[in-house]
Amino acid sequence: MMPPEDDALPPEPHDERWLDEHAGPMVRPYVMTSGRLEPTRGQFDLITLVVAIGPEPEGEIGLGPEHLAIMRLCQQVTSVAELTGHLDLPVATVRVLLGDLLDKGLITMQEPQPEADMHDIRLYKAVIDGLRAL
């Protein structure tokens, strides 16, 4: 009996790699966040505005390439939704990365204003007065 040819053997587990045609090896989002699902600080709704406090840091320990990409994009005020689109990453991953940058004092954020208090009778009265004026 002849031994099987090398081509017929399944690849060894250490030989398997996740590859992207253009980018090379792919990193899964949970690796970028060390398995974290929520940011340590901040809510980061899709309409939260984010801006870098200074230029992109050089050699900052604990920052990955995705953190630095966010810093480059946030040199101008940018929403979380825009960041997610530019980075082509899941929203949850971008939120965790933004929390890291906020913890290090590298970004500032402005969360959306809460909705008006709908229990305030003055608001209803102003709406009624406006309708009557029409």
Side-chain angles (χ1 to χ4, degrees):
M1 181 171 228
M2 294 182 56
E5 293 183 27
D6 287 342
D7 294 338
L9 294 175
E12 294 293 320
H14 66 276
D15 289 338
E16 293 180 19
R17 294 174 57 190
W18 286 89
L19 295 175
D20 179 78
E21 290 178 24
H22 303 290
M26 290 175 45
V27 177
R28 295 202 178 243
Y30 65 82
V31 173
M32 292 177 215
T33 64
S34 302
R36 295 170 293 150
L37 300 175
E38 296 289 329
T40 54
R41 289 180 43 203
Q43 294 296 317
F44 298 108
D45 292 332
L46 289 175
I47 58 174
T48 298
L49 299 177
V50 182
V51 67
I53 292 176
E56 179 184 338
E58 294 182 24
E60 180 78 26
I61 296 175
L63 294 182
E66 295 79 16
H67 291 101
L68 298 176
I70 290 172
M71 287 295 296
R72 280 190 295 277
L73 291 167
C74 288
Q75 292 303 307
Q76 297 179 12
V77 178
T78 309
S79 72
V80 173
E82 290 173 299
L83 288 172
T84 301
H86 286 298
L87 296 170
D88 195 27
L89 291 172
V91 176
T93 302
V94 173
R95 286 178 175 149
V96 172
L97 297 174
L98 286 168
D100 295 344
L101 293 171
L102 188 63
D103 283 345
K104 292 183 178 290
L106 297 172
I107 62 168
T108 187
M109 59 182 261
Q110 181 180 353
E111 293 183 349
Q113 296 296 321
E115 293 181 23
D117 183 8
M118 295 307 290
H119 299 291
D120 187 354
I121 193 72
R122 291 175 294 176
L123 177 64
Y124 290 117
K125 187 169 171 80
V127 170
I128 291 170
D129 290 344
L131 290 172
R132 285 185 183 148
L134 293 175

